[in-house]
């Protein structure tokens, strides 16, 4: 992904060191973040090329102008604009700290203010109970996935990336080691009793491989997990839009 230098536009008068700077910056992050940052950087470099700017010689006003262009002409959400600006400012800070540029143009870039109000649909206790009941009827892997999402609050990526080898015991609790929790941090999660029971049924004595399997016996994909959640919602009579992240949202809300 990040090694494909030709996938990035070449801005006018750009320094020959730009591809190495981009690669160095991107390789600091896990694959999912790199994929997002690759998209942001491609858009930024294309904009610089269109306006005849060298990305390693831009000023703060250029970055802020790009942010306004994203909001006013591309009609992007404020949170998306902030994410893109953070990426570009992060790359400039990386270039500055490594001595590739004399000043950091992104140090004082103004970002739009984001209203931190969640728009994710959640479930009531009764809806969650119905969803878990239909998940258990659907099969051990579906039930284990839904328990990890709704009773332990895992992100869908964390849930599907987990392997059987990540399971363990600590102080009497069934645990799950998460090697890439929240970006690059690691963590060990104590599983709820119901989740531990569901996972033991799904693993069924296996010693290696993916924790959650699809119907074909391979690691379950994110798209298939989303379809499964939608199907379970239809069976449970839940009409609002529910995604795997809605289960994590429900876990946090009910915990509070």
């Amino acid at each position: 992904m990040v090694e494909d230098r030709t996938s990035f536009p070449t801005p006018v008068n750009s320094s020959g060191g730009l591809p190495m700077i981009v690669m160095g910056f991107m390789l600091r992050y896990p694959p999912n973040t790199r994929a997002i940052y690759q998209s942001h950087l491609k858009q930024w470099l294309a904009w610089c090329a269109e306006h005849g700017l060298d990305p390693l010689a831009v000023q703060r006003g250029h970055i802020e102008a790009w942010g306004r262009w994203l909001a006013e002409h591309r009609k992007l959400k404020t949170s998306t604009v902030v994410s893109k600006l953070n990426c570009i400012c992060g790359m400039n800070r990386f270039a500055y700290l490594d001595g590739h540029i004399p000043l950091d143009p992104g140090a004082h870039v103004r970002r739009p203010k984001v209203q931190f109000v969640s728009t994710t649909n959640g479930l009531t206790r009764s809806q969650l109970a119905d969803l878990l009941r239909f998940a258990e009827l659907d099969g051990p892997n579906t039930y284990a996935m839904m328990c990890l999402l709704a009773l332990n609050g895992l992100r869908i990526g964390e849930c599907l990336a987990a392997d059987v080898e990540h399971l363990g015991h600590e102080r009497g609790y069934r645990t799950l080691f998460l090697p890439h929790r929240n970006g690059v941090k690691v963590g060990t999660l104590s599983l709820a009793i119901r989740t531990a029971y569901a996972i033991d049924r799904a693993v069924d004595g296996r010693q290696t491989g993916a924790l959650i399997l699809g119907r074909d016996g391979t690691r379950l994909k994110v798209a298939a997990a989303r379809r499964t959640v939608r199907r379970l919602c239809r069976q449970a009579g839940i009409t609002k839009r529910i995604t795997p992240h809605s289960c994590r949202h429900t876990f946090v809300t009910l915990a509070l």
Side-chain angles (χ1 to χ4, degrees):
M1 180 189 303
V2 67
E3 289 80 1
D4 183 12
R5 303 181 191 180
T6 59
S7 64
F8 292 96
T10 303
V12 175
N13 299 324
S14 178
S15 167
L18 178 63
M20 292 304 298
I21 295 172
V22 171
M23 288 181 62
F25 171 68
M26 297 267 282
L27 288 173
R28 302 168 70 227
Y29 298 97
N32 290 344
T33 304
R34 286 205 302 269
I36 296 171
Y37 280 9
Q38 183 184 41
S39 173
H40 294 346
L41 287 167
K42 285 176 68 175
Q43 292 179 0
W44 164 246
L45 296 179
W47 187 84
C48 287
E50 183 180 348
H51 292 80
L53 297 172
D54 180 351
L56 298 183
V58 296
Q59 299 178 8
R60 181 181 64 185
H62 294 130
I63 302 176
E64 292 180 346
W66 182 60
R68 287 196 298 272
W69 178 79
L70 291 172
E72 296 172 5
H73 295 278
R74 293 290 304 278
K75 306 298 183 183
L76 299 182
K77 294 191 300 184
T78 302
S79 58
T80 304
V81 173
V82 171
S83 174
K84 293 178 184 294
L85 288 174
N86 287 340
C87 172
I88 304 312
C89 291
M91 189 192 72
N92 277 284
R93 178 167 177 77
F94 173 82
Y96 167 70
L97 292 176
D98 278 17
H100 297 291
I101 55 178
L103 296 172
D104 179 7
H108 301 289
V109 167
R110 296 186 64 181
R111 280 83 152 173
K113 291 187 177 181
V114 180
Q115 298 295 326
F116 292 100
V117 178
S118 176
T119 58
T120 303
N121 287 326
L123 298 164
T124 64
R125 289 184 183 275
S126 61
Q127 288 174 331
L128 177 58
D130 290 341
L131 201 62
L132 290 175
R133 179 165 56 86
F134 281 101
E136 188 171 15
L137 293 174
D138 194 68
N141 283 284
T142 300
Y143 186 48
M145 178 189 75
M146 294 304 298
C147 285
L148 284 170
L149 295 175
L151 301 183
N152 277 96
L154 265 68
R155 299 174 178 85
I156 186 61
E158 296 170 343
C159 175
L160 301 186
D163 293 325
V164 176
E165 298 91 322
H166 295 153
L167 292 172
H169 290 87
E170 185 174 331
R171 298 179 182 179
Y173 289 97
R174 196 77 159 115
T175 61
L176 177 63
F177 175 68
L178 301 171
H180 299 295
R181 167 143 249 204
N182 195 21
V184 296
K185 297 179 182 178
V186 299
T188 299
L189 184 71
S190 296
L191 299 176
I193 295 176
R194 192 171 178 181
T195 304
Y197 164 75
I199 285 179
D200 286 340
R201 284 185 57 201
V203 170
D204 193 24
R206 290 186 290 119
Q207 299 298 315
T208 61
L211 189 62
I212 307 298
L213 300 177
R215 296 186 184 279
D216 59 356
T218 63
R219 188 183 301 274
L220 186 66
K221 304 296 189 298
V222 174
R226 291 195 180 107
R227 290 194 297 269
T228 298
V229 172
R230 289 197 297 266
R231 174 167 52 79
L232 293 175
C233 286
R234 289 195 298 271
Q235 294 172 353
I238 301 171
T239 57
K240 56 187 174 183
R241 182 177 180 272
I242 297 297
T243 65
H245 189 71
S246 301
C247 299
R248 172 177 165 82
H249 178 84
T250 300
F251 166 78
V252 175
T253 302
L254 294 181
L256 290 174

